[in-house]
């Protein structure tokens, strides 16, 4: 109910300000033509004074020169072209004066006497109009002052009357609101009956409707508060369980660190006999020539090379020495990987690759090959004797995206919810280290790993790695 006096006060203030603004604008609008007309009269007086001085010079014995008449004519023409004249005959008279000054006469003093008399008429006409303009300005100013005074006198009267009216109409609703606020302090959330609100003044009814909405909202907040307390208790229990699980994960990580040290030592010891086996296979491959058995021995040599790189990477991982980056042709790397997998994948499993031929990135070759191999072997082991695996790669700006999808049963719901954990596997006979090694490779190279299931069945693993180009130093391209 305070809006009425506020709006009335604001309206009165705005009306006063607009009135003052209008008065100021009118005064400025009146002063501009007065100032321009004063300048015009001044120019006319200056030309008339010049004519008088020229006549005085002639009377003193200095003959009037044609150049003096030409100069006076130029000044009269300038005044005639300028704006600011108020008398309707001024322009005609100035044109006549300009024409008289332009004629050649035997007695130029007579011309000056006639033009000076006409200039006096022009000046008298302009002064008469100037006085009329000043008179109208004075009358308008008196009228504006009278209106402003009346407005200033009526403003307090209107404001006082509005305040008295609001005070009378607001007293009863304010007392009712005081009682209702006391209820809120006692947590009494009963609404005001509609019949009571209808009996009140129309200006006060929105306040009581708002009060009813307030108490309704307070009831909802009380219920939400109780529910939130229960939710917080549940979240605290879940957080406690998560902390306990993290504690177990830390213990498992310590055990994995010890296992890593042992595996690094074992890998170091295995590389020596592996080198002998690889050398013997190389000699056997050269002895077989280009036969079918030679191709199989070549595949065995490639696998031995991969195992050697894997053992070397295990030792490097224990030493915390990262694998050097090379420019990798992703399509050729995937093609080599499919060649190696030809003798390890059942005949009923089909592997397809969808990789652009121009896709090249600066990446660790052995780590990327081992990561893809782990994903493909996991997919093969998860599927029955038949199925389909697809390797797809694409580049988006500076990011390489590689996905390995299969038509198997998909990931267990527990794995998707809890994430990848070492030694945690849903497959009979699995070690749970394949995806853990993939996640470690991706994290070591500032990438991202996503697991998801496909519809109606199947799983898809997506790797996102930074795809940087070769620098000016010239990294070697991996063939």
């Amino acid at each position: 109910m305070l809006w009425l006096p506020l709006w009335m006060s604001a309206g009165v203030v705005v009306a006063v300000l607009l009135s003052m603004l209008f008065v100021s604008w009118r005064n400025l609008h009146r002063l501009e033509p007065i100032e321009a007309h004063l300048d015009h009269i001044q120019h006319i007086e200056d030309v008339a004074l010049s004519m008088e001085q020229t006549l005085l010079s002639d009377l003193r014995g200095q003959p009037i020169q044609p150049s003096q008449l030409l100069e006076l004519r130029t000044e009269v023409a300038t005044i005639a072209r300028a704006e600011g004249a108020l008398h309707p005959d001024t322009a005609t008279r100035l044109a006549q004066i300009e024409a008289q000054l332009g004629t050649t006469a035997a007695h130029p003093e007579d011309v000056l006497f006639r033009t000076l008399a006409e200039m006096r008429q022009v000046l008298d006409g302009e002064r008469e109009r100037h006085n009329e303009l000043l008179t109208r300005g004075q009358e308008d100013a008196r009228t504006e002052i009278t209106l402003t005074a009346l407005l200033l006198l009526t403003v307090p009267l209107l404001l006082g009357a509005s305040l008295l009216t609001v005070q009378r109409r607001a007293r009863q609703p304010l007392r009712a609101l005081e009682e209702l606020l006391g209820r809120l302090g006692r947590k009494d959330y009963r609404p005001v009956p509609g019949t009571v609100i209808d009996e009140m003044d129309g200006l006060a009814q929105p306040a009581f409707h708002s009060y009813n909405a307030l108490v309704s909202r307070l009831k909802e907040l009380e219920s939400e508060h109780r529910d939130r307390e229960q939710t917080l208790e549940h979240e605290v229990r879940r957080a406690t369980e998560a902390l306990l699980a993290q504690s177990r994960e830390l213990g498992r990580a310590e055990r994995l660190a010890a296992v890593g040290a042992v595996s690094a030592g074992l890998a170091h010891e295995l590389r020596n006999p592996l080198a002998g086996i690889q050398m013997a296979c190389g000699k056997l491959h050269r002895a077989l020539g280009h036969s079918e058995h030679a191709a199989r021995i070549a595949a065995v040599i490639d696998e031995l090379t991969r195992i050697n790189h894997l053992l070397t990477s295990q030792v490097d991982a224990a030493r915390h020495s990262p694998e050097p980056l090379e420019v990798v042709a992703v399509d050729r790397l995937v093609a080599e990987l499919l060649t190696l997998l030809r003798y390890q994948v059942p005949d009923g499993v089909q592997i397809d690759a969808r990789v652009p031929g121009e896709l090249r990135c600066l990446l660790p070759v052995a780590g990327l090959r081992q990561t893809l191999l782990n994903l493909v072997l996991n997919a093969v082991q998860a599927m029955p004797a038949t199925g389909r695996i697809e390797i797809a790669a694409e580049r988006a700006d500076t990011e390489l995206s590689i996905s390995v999808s299969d038509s198997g049963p998909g990931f267990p719901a527990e794995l998707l919810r809890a994430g990848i954990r070492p030694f945690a596997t849903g497959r009979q006979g699995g070690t749970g280290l394949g995806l853990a090694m993939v996640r470690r490779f991706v994290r070591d190279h500032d990438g991202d790993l996503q697991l998801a299931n496909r519809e109606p069945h199947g799983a898809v693993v997506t790797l996102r790695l930074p795809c940087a180009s070769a620098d000016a130093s010239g990294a070697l391209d991996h063939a």
Side-chain angles (χ1 to χ4, degrees):
M1 288 178 289
L2 295 176
W3 284 112
L4 180 60
L6 290 177
W7 280 113
M8 293 181 63
S9 302
V12 170
V13 171
V14 171
V16 172
L17 291 177
L18 290 177
S19 300
M20 296 177 66
L21 181 62
F22 177 74
V23 169
S24 300
W25 177 80
R26 285 292 303 274
N27 291 332
L28 180 62
H29 185 68
R30 285 194 299 264
L31 289 176
E32 289 179 353
I34 292 175
E35 184 178 0
H37 193 245
L38 284 175
D39 292 341
H40 188 71
I41 293 175
Q42 183 65 39
H43 292 159
I44 296 175
E45 290 178 348
D46 292 341
V47 173
L49 182 61
S50 298
M51 291 180 178
E52 292 177 353
Q53 291 176 353
T54 303
L55 286 174
L56 288 175
S57 299
D58 181 71
L59 294 176
R60 291 173 183 171
Q62 296 180 359
I64 299 174
Q65 303 296 326
S67 60
Q68 293 178 328
L69 294 178
L70 181 60
E71 183 178 355
L72 291 173
R73 182 189 178 192
T74 303
E75 293 179 359
V76 171
T78 302
I79 296 174
R81 288 192 299 269
E83 297 180 357
L86 295 179
H87 199 279
D89 298 333
T90 298
T92 304
R93 291 174 179 175
L94 291 176
Q96 294 174 357
I97 294 171
E98 181 182 357
Q100 293 177 8
L101 291 174
T103 59
T104 304
H107 302 284
E109 61 274 7
D110 296 337
V111 175
L112 281 179
F113 274 116
R114 289 194 302 271
T115 55
L116 182 60
E118 293 179 359
M119 287 293 290
R120 293 293 183 185
Q121 294 178 1
V122 171
L123 189 60
D124 292 340
E126 290 297 326
R127 285 175 176 172
E128 180 183 355
R129 291 305 175 98
H130 186 74
N131 292 332
E132 294 177 359
L133 184 63
L134 290 177
T135 302
R136 288 198 303 270
Q138 290 176 356
E139 293 176 354
D140 292 342
R142 292 191 189 97
T143 303
E144 291 170 355
I145 291 173
T146 303
L147 292 176
T148 304
L150 290 176
L151 183 62
L152 293 176
L153 289 175
T154 55
V155 165
L157 296 177
L158 291 175
L159 186 60
S162 62
L163 289 177
L164 289 175
T165 302
V166 171
Q167 182 180 7
R168 292 176 181 176
R169 298 177 65 180
R171 188 171 299 172
Q172 180 181 359
L174 287 177
R175 292 176 180 174
L177 285 175
E178 181 180 2
E179 182 182 353
L180 294 175
L181 291 177
R183 286 188 191 178
L184 289 180
R186 299 188 298 271
K187 293 185 177 182
D188 184 359
Y189 298 138
R190 289 176 299 168
V192 181
T195 55
V196 177
I197 296 178
D198 294 336
E199 295 175 356
M200 293 184 178
D201 189 83
L203 291 176
Q205 289 180 3
F208 289 93
H209 287 300
S210 299
Y211 175 81
N212 288 342
L214 175 63
V215 295
S216 176
R217 180 57 181 162
L218 287 175
K219 290 180 180 179
E220 296 177 0
L221 290 176
E222 285 287 336
S223 177
E224 292 176 1
H225 179 67
R226 290 191 296 268
D227 295 340
R228 189 177 295 109
E229 286 183 348
Q230 297 176 359
T231 303
L232 288 176
E233 292 178 358
H234 180 66
E235 292 293 335
V236 169
R237 287 195 296 269
R238 290 185 57 184
T240 304
E241 295 174 357
L243 288 175
L244 294 175
Q246 290 180 359
S247 178
R248 291 191 294 269
E249 289 292 334
L250 289 176
R252 186 182 294 109
E254 292 178 356
R255 294 192 297 271
L256 286 176
V259 172
V262 174
S263 64
L266 181 61
H268 178 72
E269 294 299 329
L270 288 177
R271 283 192 301 173
N272 293 328
L274 185 63
I277 297 172
Q278 188 174 2
M279 186 179 299
C281 289
K283 292 180 180 180
L284 181 59
H285 178 265
R286 288 191 295 273
L288 292 175
H290 299 284
S291 63
E292 180 182 357
H293 296 291
R296 295 183 178 180
I297 291 297
V300 173
I301 293 174
D302 290 338
E303 286 296 298
L304 291 174
T305 303
R306 184 181 65 81
I307 295 174
N308 190 22
H309 279 300
L310 179 60
L311 294 176
T312 304
S313 64
Q314 291 295 324
V315 177
D316 292 339
R319 296 174 180 171
H320 302 284
S321 56
E323 180 185 355
L325 303 181
E326 300 180 19
V327 179
V328 180
V330 182
D331 60 331
R332 295 162 65 181
L333 185 143
V334 172
E336 293 175 359
L337 179 65
L338 296 182
T339 302
L340 294 176
L341 290 170
R342 182 173 55 185
Y343 301 105
Q344 303 181 39
V345 176
D347 295 336
V349 176
Q350 177 186 356
I351 303 179
D352 297 328
R354 185 163 48 86
V355 182
E358 70 280 359
L359 185 54
R360 296 174 180 268
C361 294
L362 194 63
L363 294 169
V365 179
L368 180 59
R369 182 188 290 110
Q370 184 63 36
T371 297
L372 295 178
L373 179 63
N374 285 336
L375 293 178
V376 174
L377 291 180
N378 281 350
V380 171
Q381 295 168 0
M383 291 190 302
T386 59
R388 182 174 178 270
I389 300 174
E390 182 182 50
I391 302 176
E394 62 179 358
R395 179 174 180 173
D397 295 332
T398 59
E399 185 180 72
L400 172 65
S401 175
I402 303 178
S403 62
V404 178
S405 57
D406 60 65
S407 59
F411 291 113
E414 178 64 22
L415 177 61
L416 296 177
R417 185 187 66 81
I420 301 172
R421 292 178 296 173
F423 301 112
T425 177
R427 179 170 49 84
Q428 184 68 26
T431 62
L433 292 176
L435 289 177
M437 295 176 63
V438 172
R439 181 183 63 179
R440 177 182 176 184
F441 169 77
V442 172
R443 288 182 176 178
D444 288 345
H445 295 86
D446 299 327
D448 184 32
L449 175 65
Q450 293 182 352
L451 307 181
N453 286 332
R454 302 171 62 188
E455 292 295 339
H457 57 81
V460 58
V461 181
T462 304
L463 311 177
R464 289 186 173 87
L465 299 169
C467 183
S469 302
D471 54 12
S473 61
L476 294 178
D477 188 359
H478 175 70

